[in-house]
Amino acid sequence: MELIISPSVLSCDFANIQRDVELINESKADWFHVDVMDGVFVPNISFGFPVVEAIKKHAKKPLDVHLMIQQPDNYINQFRDAGADLLTVHYEACTHLHRTIQAIHSAGMKAGVAVNPHTPVDLLQEVIEELDLVLIMSVNPGFGGQKFIKNAVLKVEQAKNLIHQRGSRALVEVDGGVNLSTGRELVLAGADALVAGSFVFGSDNPKQTIQDLKVLKA
Ligand code: DX5
Ligand code: ZN
């Protein structure tokens, strides 16, 4: 399977969202990574439904929506209506995780669960068969441009083993501090999808940078 590249629009120019969405449309990227932060689960606020809708209006690729919010259950249908194709919630934010996953599927979306750097992958063992995506955080969520936490590489291997053992279809995505060097390590460990924000939008040629990430897996 080809490596999936999901550029994070958190690092785009918000005064020119349409231009940056079209840049991703024209690139080799596969998904749009859309980071929603509530200022409670994480110490930052990004954007909500109107911005997700604005991205969807121009996006020609699926929206990979990463919710860094408390009580995501209250907003599942609204994110579906705003255009999410894949909805990822945090393990640490869900008391009834199994129910949340079911609700995402019932709303017609793919379901992902993200784990913070301190959360063991093993905690997903009872729901792994229900999941379409496991999102390994390789930074503490809240901000773009942070330093990659190396332990994420090991967690990718652990997630792939768990998925294999349980016969799950889940893909493994990694988010935070991804560049060509960390990306290469993650691909070797078995990552299926890479999120990249500042590395893509902070580069001189974002389309070329996306292409460079894409070919980390030949
Ligand atoms: C962090 C977000 C990331 C962020 C990644 O909380 O979930 O998706 O945009 O940014 P970089 O690639 O700059 O680490
Ligand atoms: Zn993210």
Side-chain angles (χ1 to χ4, degrees), residues 81-98:
D81 295 344
D85 296 281
L86 194 161
L87 194 65
T88 296
V89 295
H90 264 264
Y91 174 86
E92 303 83 6
C94 296
T95 308
H96 301 286
L97 183 61
H98 187 273

Side-chain angles (χ1 to χ4, degrees), residues 8 10 33-35 37 66 68 135 137 175-176 195:
S8 171
L10 188 65
H33 188 80
V34 180
D35 287 306
M37 304 178 185
H66 176 195
M68 285 159 274
L135 178 55
M137 291 309 300
D175 184 8
V195 175

Side-chain angles (χ1 to χ4, degrees), residues 1 7 14 16 18 23 42 46 56 69 71 77 104 107 133 143 148 169-170 182 186 188 194-195 200 216:
M1 203 193 76
F14 286 119
N16 289 289
Q18 182 178 352
L23 182 154
V42 288
S46 58
K56 185 69 176 183
I69 66 172
Q71 302 189 325
N77 288 336
I104 295 171
L133 185 96
F143 304 92
F148 182 77
R169 65 185 174 282
T182 56
L186 293 165
L188 282 175
L194 299 179
V195 175
V200 167
L216 283 178

Side-chain angles (χ1 to χ4, degrees), residues 3-7 23-32 60-62 200 206-207 210-211 214:
L3 181 64
I4 294 167
I5 304 299
S6 192
L23 182 154
I24 297 177
N25 282 339
E26 290 158 14
S27 77
K28 297 274 197 249
D30 299 276
W31 298 341
F32 286 81
K60 298 202 174 97
K61 298 172 185 185
V200 167
K207 275 191 234 171
I210 290 167
Q211 160 76 13
K214 184 82 186 166

